[in-house]
Amino acid sequence: MASQIFCSSSTKFLVLLVFSVLCSVSFSDVLPSPTAPVSPSTICKSTPYYSFCKAVLPSNNSSANVYDYGQFSIRKSLSLARKILSLIQKTLSNSSKLTITAVRALEDCLFLAELNIDFLLSTSNSVNTTTITLSTLQADEVRTLLSALLTNSQTCLDGLQAASSAWSVNNGLLTPLANDTKLYGVSLALFKAWVPKKKKLPPHPAKKQLAFRNGKLPLKMSSRNQAIYETVSRRKLLQAENDFVLVNDIVIVTQNGWGNFTNISAAVAAAPTNTNGTTGYYLIYITAGLYQEYVSIGSKQKYIMMIGDGINRTVITGNHSVVDGWTTFNSPTFAVVGQGFVAVNITFRNTAGPIKQQAVAVRNGADLSTFYSCSFEAYQDTLYTHSLRQFYRECDIYGTVDFIFGNAAVVFQNCNVYPRLPLSYQFNTITAQGKTDPNQNTGTSIQNCTIRAANDLASSNISIQTYLGRPWKEYSTTIYMHSFMDSLINPLGWAPWSGDFALNTSYYAEFNNSGPGSNTSGRVTWPGYHNNISSTNATNYTVGTFLLGDAWLPETGVPYTSGLI
């Protein structure tokens, strides 16, 4: 992020498309039937890139319908994603001629391009093998993956542009990347209507749930882990029995050598790959200690559960920053993209300090991921909720500038948010949400949380302006509900990014908050700000509706409230 500056088959699916997000005209008003032939000129009106869409879609098939164009756009997207990957690899092959900043930005792009191919393969499988209308869960997954494609491409572009001062940007790469982003936007618009109106789903049966009690796991021991149990009395390998969730394996990380590993990265490297939720978690118990290492959990390392000995007892720390030559994306102390990740009782820290600008403690791009009773500590850009679906419960988040940022669909529930003392010329902004396309199902929801000054800010006797957020990208989306806001919040509530950028297109909302900083009478008057939304609208950003959390959170054992508090 920028530094703070002052100034198929035509019968497979019942598909309805949105004609225009901005004017809210249903595409069904245009088509006589969702399976009827339609021209590219007509269907492209439902996308943000009309001219580009019309140029890309085939014009020589007079019988093509909505679904046919959707299938085509996915195939085209996959083909282009592979070309992008090849271009990035080719550019990196001449890395000796590039600055370290450019190389790191390209390495980020390589990582993200590989993720995009995986997402497109998964999406293609969903849309080509289903013979009936997608279920709510299937449709939400498709839209989530297509939303993440855009986020990944935009992250790559942002990184390359940030590195451009130290590198002559090659249009041979940037132009395909820009087209890549547009094509993903077309695909997302074409498939948005597959997502039915989200409904609260019933929770999983109790026998599949794992209940944390006072931050501890009531795990049932197997005989194989008797020795582990005797050493770590509250950590045991689970079997699939009533009131317990399945854990497939357990390893212990200790710094004194008596566990399985002496560092976290080694324990992660030993995790099985491409598992799924039915086979159980790979549980890593991290004993108390200060772990000075950079941990990365890859896309194939799924359903890993990490449990520490508590906030400020098990601490993972690093100090990478933009000032020291890292990109924002690769500055995290801890990064995860493996689906189904769960972390409990751990502090994640970046100690670079405010003078080093962007310095991330955690970057999370893991779908269906959960952090419970964890602490995130840094200054600018502390917690990068990069993409996909995420949930945080009873966590502490410390920072200064844009310290909760990214473009995930994320809910923070019962968390403590602590703005810290920034540099003398800075103000505090809690959120900087990065939605770039109106069809993405992303946003930041802060529910039943507490916002108070951190100790350094509270004791400083310095007047620091602190805002709830600012629009990093054009469709920035953030809502605060049922949260306590102390007096440090500026009466305006929200800060602009640059001039009038995104003030009309963003969506910022507050609902039933409390505390001296929650008074909305002096709030900004931007068209994108809403200070009196209905409970129905607020419900759209709750765990059960926004994340469809009732379908996956019970298996984590983490407590949560599905609807409004």
Side-chain angles (χ1 to χ4, degrees):
M1 295 178 57
S3 298
Q4 191 179 75
I5 301 173
F6 289 83
C7 344
S8 79
S9 165
S10 61
T11 59
K12 277 190 176 180
F13 291 95
L14 178 60
V15 181
L16 298 175
L17 285 177
V18 177
F19 173 75
S20 171
V21 174
L22 297 178
C23 60
S24 300
V25 177
S26 172
F27 196 62
S28 60
D29 295 336
V30 180
L31 279 177
S33 164
T35 58
V38 60
S39 69
S41 296
T42 300
I43 198 170
C44 286
K45 292 177 182 177
S46 67
T47 75
Y49 307 104
Y50 175 77
S51 297
F52 178 84
C53 171
K54 189 176 175 183
V56 167
L57 294 186
S59 58
N60 58 353
N61 187 349
S62 59
S63 64
N65 63 14
V66 169
Y67 176 62
D68 296 325
Y69 289 123
Q71 275 193 316
F72 177 85
S73 71
I74 292 297
R75 291 195 300 271
K76 189 79 172 177
S77 294
L78 181 56
S79 176
L80 184 55
R82 285 172 169 152
K83 290 178 181 178
I84 292 293
L85 178 61
S86 179
L87 278 171
I88 294 168
Q89 289 171 330
K90 182 179 179 181
T91 307
L92 274 170
S93 68
N94 296 316
S95 60
S96 61
K97 301 178 182 178
L98 302 174
T99 65
I100 186 62
T101 304
V103 169
R104 285 173 174 163
L106 285 165
E107 288 173 343
D108 292 348
C109 289
L110 182 68
F111 177 82
L112 293 163
E114 290 172 340
L115 283 180
N116 278 355
I117 290 173
D118 288 344
F119 293 167
L120 281 164
L121 287 171
S122 179
T123 299
S124 179
N125 182 63
S126 295
V127 303
N128 289 328
T129 60
T130 306
T131 57
I132 58 173
T133 303
L134 290 173
S135 70
T136 297
L137 287 174
Q138 289 174 315
D140 194 56
E141 180 179 9
V142 168
R143 190 176 171 197
T144 295
L145 292 176
L146 291 175
S147 294
L149 293 177
L150 280 165
T151 301
N152 289 346
S153 293
Q154 187 63 53
T155 301
C156 173
L157 282 168
D158 287 347
L160 292 178
Q161 289 164 357
S164 64
S165 61
W167 173 43
S168 179
V169 177
N170 185 350
N171 287 330
L173 181 59
L174 289 186
T175 298
L177 277 169
N179 289 337
D180 194 38
T181 302
K182 288 181 181 179
L183 186 55
Y184 294 161
V186 168
S187 296
L188 177 59
L190 293 176
F191 287 101
K192 177 184 175 183
W194 286 15
V195 182
K197 186 176 181 181
K198 288 186 178 181
K199 299 177 182 178
K200 279 191 63 175
L201 300 175
H204 283 197
K207 67 179 182 179
K208 292 293 186 182
Q209 295 183 23
L210 169 66
F212 283 90
R213 301 186 183 108
N214 298 321
K216 298 182 179 181
L217 282 167
L219 308 185
K220 186 175 178 72
M221 179 184 61
S222 72
S223 58
R224 185 175 76 83
N225 283 276
Q226 181 67 39
I228 293 177
Y229 172 68
E230 291 173 353
T231 306
V232 188
S233 61
R234 59 190 172 94
R235 316 286 190 226
K236 292 156 281 183
L237 183 66
L238 298 181
Q239 304 298 327
E241 298 179 3
N242 288 347
D243 299 323
F244 295 101
V245 71
L246 182 68
V247 168
N248 187 49
D249 199 3
I250 180 171
V251 296
I252 299 176
V253 179
T254 64
Q255 293 181 319
N256 60 12
W258 62 258
N260 303 95
F261 302 96
T262 57
N263 65 80
I264 301 164
S265 295
V268 170
T273 58
N274 292 318
T275 59
N276 59 55
T278 62
T279 59
Y281 288 99
Y282 174 78
L283 195 158
I284 302 173
Y285 166 48
I286 309 169
T287 61
L290 185 68
Y291 295 84
Q292 296 179 316
E293 58 178 301
Y294 298 92
V295 180
S296 181
I297 299 177
S299 61
K300 292 180 170 42
Q301 295 166 306
K302 302 176 181 180
Y303 294 94
I304 290 177
M305 179 181 285
M306 285 186 173
I307 302 173
D309 273 331
I311 290 175
N312 292 329
R313 298 196 69 227
T314 297
V315 180
I316 307 172
T317 184
N319 63 1
H320 287 170
S321 70
V322 167
V323 168
D324 287 336
W326 302 91
T327 65
T328 301
F329 186 81
N330 63 30
S331 70
T333 300
F334 187 95
V336 56
V337 292
Q339 180 175 308
F341 177 76
V342 179
V344 184
N345 294 341
I346 300 172
T347 290
F348 303 91
R349 191 176 286 164
N350 189 314
T351 61
I355 197 67
K356 293 299 181 75
Q357 299 179 22
Q358 298 95 328
V360 177
V362 168
R363 188 193 76 235
N364 184 6
D367 198 23
L368 310 179
S369 55
T370 307
F371 287 78
Y372 173 48
S373 188
C374 290
S375 181
F376 308 88
E377 301 175 9
Y379 288 85
Q380 182 170 344
D381 291 5
T382 301
L383 177 55
Y384 196 172
T385 56
H386 183 262
S387 56
L388 302 168
R389 294 165 289 190
Q390 308 178 16
F391 178 64
Y392 298 76
R393 171 83 179 201
E394 295 171 33
C395 291
D396 300 334
I397 307 108
Y398 296 80
T400 55
V401 180
D402 306 334
F403 63 95
I404 299 173
F405 75 110
N407 195 25
V410 56
V411 176
F412 294 88
Q413 195 173 84
N414 295 24
C415 293
N416 297 307
V417 180
Y418 294 112
R420 305 176 83 169
L421 182 66
L423 297 174
S424 59
Y425 57 84
Q426 292 179 323
F427 54 84
N428 286 335
T429 43
I430 295 171
T431 66
Q433 206 280 330
K435 186 173 181 177
T436 60
D437 187 294
N439 295 315
Q440 288 178 305
N441 60 348
T442 56
T444 297
S445 175
I446 297 177
Q447 182 186 31
N448 201 41
C449 294
T450 298
I451 305 169
R452 298 183 188 273
N455 289 338
D456 61 347
L457 179 59
S459 62
S460 68
N461 295 319
I462 300 175
S463 178
I464 298 295
Q465 302 302 312
T466 297
Y467 298 90
L468 299 174
R470 59 176 182 162
W472 180 25
K473 300 295 182 182
E474 190 172 3
Y475 296 95
S476 183
T477 299
T478 303
I479 180 170
Y480 287 80
M481 59 177 119
H482 290 125
S483 292
F484 175 86
M485 301 177 181
D486 214 343
S487 57
L488 78 164
I489 301 299
N490 185 289
L492 289 171
W494 307 83
W497 184 268
S498 178
D500 62 357
F501 171 75
L503 303 188
N504 295 332
T505 52
S506 294
Y507 182 83
Y508 290 143
E510 298 179 55
F511 176 76
N512 283 5
N513 297 303
S514 62
S518 67
N519 187 335
T520 60
S521 62
R523 290 294 196 251
V524 295
T525 57
W526 308 336
Y529 172 69
H530 309 272
N531 69 352
N532 191 27
I533 64 172
S534 67
S535 59
T536 299
N537 287 339
T539 298
N540 290 333
Y541 294 92
T542 58
V543 170
T545 305
F546 192 42
L547 303 181
L548 296 183
D550 294 324
W552 55 277
L553 275 172
E555 292 183 351
T556 70
V558 172
Y560 72 96
T561 299
S562 180
L564 295 174
I565 302 298

